[in-house]
Amino acid sequence: MIFDIFVKIWITPENILGILWNLITVVGMCLIFHAWQERWWKSLIPFYGTYLMYKNAWKKYKWLFFVQMLFDLISMMSSGFMRKHLTNNLFATIKTYMETGTIDIDISVPYLLICALVLLLSMLVVFFLTRITYVKICDSLGIQSLLLKVGTFIVPQVFLIVDYVYLMGKREMK
């Protein structure tokens, strides 16, 4: 019975596709680390794997790893602040709205908008910094193909594997 509940709740097409998508990303990063002559399992270590990725991709600008971590922290703090103030006493807020037609929340609208703006900006910085780092991975591997770089920027989960296969094929031809 517990197994049936587990299957009905957790084994859904969305969860299976999400697991596969994350597995493709992990395999791609392991292959890229192998191409850098790093141990593949280092890519699996939180923070350290990301640091090594920035170190190998950016060379002199590996400090950008700390910039990304700072903006990750800012986005976590602002989303946590918003979540705390928007969902605090959620049922009381719903009850008040149903009775009076007004929403009573713990946060003012200007603070909410500032938090939303900070969250959006920090997420955009992290997104573009990470995507540019993926393109720098192509440069660090000696891949000059514009098509592969654009693909790596748009869908890095898949193109990290494609980049590795391309690189190995190029090495075999030499």
Side-chain angles (χ1 to χ4, degrees), residues 38 50-60 62:
E38 294 273 357
T50 307
Y51 171 74
L52 288 177
M53 179 178 75
Y54 273 79
K55 181 181 144 208
N56 286 310
W58 287 96
K59 304 284 188 233
K60 292 194 292 188
K62 60 186 170 193

Side-chain angles (χ1 to χ4, degrees), residues 1-18:
M1 176 159 169
I2 292 178
F3 181 74
D4 291 337
I5 293 171
F6 174 77
V7 168
K8 287 179 184 175
I9 293 175
W10 296 104
I11 308 292
T12 63
E14 301 88 28
N15 287 347
I16 292 171
L17 289 175

